[in-house]
Amino acid sequence: MSSSNAMKSTQQPISADLRRWVIEQLGAGHTVEALRQSMRQSGWREDAIEVALFALPVAGRAAAPASGARAAVAGAQAQPAARQPGPVLEGSAAFIDAGDRQVPVLMTLQHPRVVMFGGLLSDEECDGLIAAAGERLARSLTVETKTGGETLNQDRTSDGMFFERGENEIVRRVEARIARLLNWPVEFGEGLQVLRYRPGAQYRPHYDYFDPAEPGTPTILRRGGQRLGTLLMYLQAPEAGGGTIFPDVGLEVAPSRGSGLFFGYDRPDPGTRSLHGGSPVLAGEKWVATKWLREREFK
């Protein structure tokens, strides 16, 4: 198996030839990981590889031989989910009623679906989450979609921890606010994750949904179905760097203490344009809290 010379440029748009090449290789029985290795050898960067390999619809990626749970998951995930988390923004709403406060809407983008909120958290809440998390930080892990477990990932160089849902008074207050803000039950959210990024730390571009083509995905989905949306809350802004980037649309959001960034993805497919990452922190520390929203109750 070899990739064409035209595939060496990481800036080249996803062409019809590239689409055919991916489908042909999958149809010939090559794995996604084998395609990754081939593209690495051709000089592609890791973030560009992910965009290229997963720029096809789920149904197209499933053209390779699949059976059992893997085929069932791929077929079930091909269509957008019926219900979606997110704020009600009719009439270009300037504020959203989050129960205990009116949250300003600072920016919206339709595709990908991105909403920036100001004043989502108070200084007291930011400090409280940082203090409670600080004693429990460890090197951040990522979900291992090949097995359904967790693993260290060189693309993610932060320290982090998870709160149990409703673990303390601040967590309960924030979770209730998020549920009202995004019209999604508290029970459908994963536990709040807090991350610290020191100088040089980053999170390279990635997707938050679970790839239906990976063998560990059925195990992950048993806990609450697919992820449908992400809410990032900035607890502390660094002195420089640390922006949240969306490479597919050229968007970068600067971290601002107390603000929140929501983005949704109605299906596990790059067509949602939800590829995102955290740029390296250049000075100071960045602290963020993340809430991932699932299809159903997360257990």
Side-chain angles (χ1 to χ4, degrees), residues 132-164:
E135 301 176 354
R136 294 156 56 181
L137 293 177
R139 172 69 187 274
S140 298
L141 302 176
T142 58
V143 174
E144 175 53 78
T145 53
K146 295 187 183 304
T147 64
E150 293 182 318
T151 186
L152 285 173
N153 186 334
Q154 64 179 1
D155 290 341
R156 190 181 205 181
T157 52
S158 59
D159 299 310
M161 56 78 66
F162 276 94
F163 288 109
E164 293 291 331

Side-chain angles (χ1 to χ4, degrees), residues 7 14 18-19 21-23 25-26 31-40 44 46-57 60-61 207 211 214 269-270:
M7 292 173 54
I14 305 304
L18 178 55
R19 289 174 184 270
W21 181 83
V22 172
I23 292 173
Q25 299 305 319
L26 290 173
T31 65
V32 171
E33 184 56 34
L35 268 65
R36 284 196 184 98
Q37 291 295 337
S38 177
M39 295 175 77
R40 288 188 187 113
W44 283 61
E46 291 298 321
D47 55 346
I49 290 172
E50 296 310 309
V51 173
L53 284 182
F54 297 107
L56 298 171
R61 294 205 307 272
Y207 298 101
D211 183 359
E214 294 290 354
D269 190 276

Side-chain angles (χ1 to χ4, degrees), residues 157-224:
T157 52
S158 59
D159 299 310
M161 56 78 66
F162 276 94
F163 288 109
E164 293 291 331
R165 202 168 51 221
E167 179 174 323
N168 60 44
E169 191 276 331
I170 293 180
V171 169
R172 288 192 296 273
R173 188 196 317 159
V174 170
E175 288 178 332
R177 189 179 305 150
I178 293 170
R180 180 75 173 264
L181 181 74
L182 301 179
N183 299 290
W184 211 245
V186 170
E187 294 77 14
F188 286 25
E190 297 182 28
L192 199 65
Q193 183 188 49
V194 173
L195 298 173
R196 176 184 64 190
Y197 292 84
R198 289 174 166 167
Q202 64 178 316
Y203 196 177
R204 293 186 175 90
H206 60 282
Y207 298 101
D208 281 355
Y209 57 72
F210 305 115
D211 183 359
E214 294 290 354
T217 294
T219 300
I220 299 168
L221 298 187
R222 291 192 195 108
R223 297 194 66 188

Side-chain angles (χ1 to χ4, degrees), residues 186-299:
V186 170
E187 294 77 14
F188 286 25
E190 297 182 28
L192 199 65
Q193 183 188 49
V194 173
L195 298 173
R196 176 184 64 190
Y197 292 84
R198 289 174 166 167
Q202 64 178 316
Y203 196 177
R204 293 186 175 90
H206 60 282
Y207 298 101
D208 281 355
Y209 57 72
F210 305 115
D211 183 359
E214 294 290 354
T217 294
T219 300
I220 299 168
L221 298 187
R222 291 192 195 108
R223 297 194 66 188
Q226 264 291 358
R227 286 175 175 167
L228 301 176
T230 302
L231 178 66
L232 298 177
M233 293 165 283
Y234 301 101
L235 308 180
Q236 177 177 306
E239 297 171 22
T244 302
I245 58 172
F246 293 82
D248 288 348
V249 292
L251 174 66
E252 180 169 8
V253 177
S256 176
R257 180 175 166 94
S259 64
L261 180 68
F262 169 77
F263 54 98
Y265 27 96
D266 61 2
R267 61 196 184 281
D269 190 276
T272 59
R273 306 174 83 182
S274 60
L275 184 72
H276 65 285
S279 296
V281 170
L282 303 179
E285 291 186 348
K286 179 178 77 170
W287 287 74
V288 299
T290 304
K291 172 65 75 172
W292 285 292
L293 308 172
R294 295 286 194 108
E295 289 181 295
R296 54 183 182 270
E297 183 177 357
F298 179 74
K299 300 178 181 180

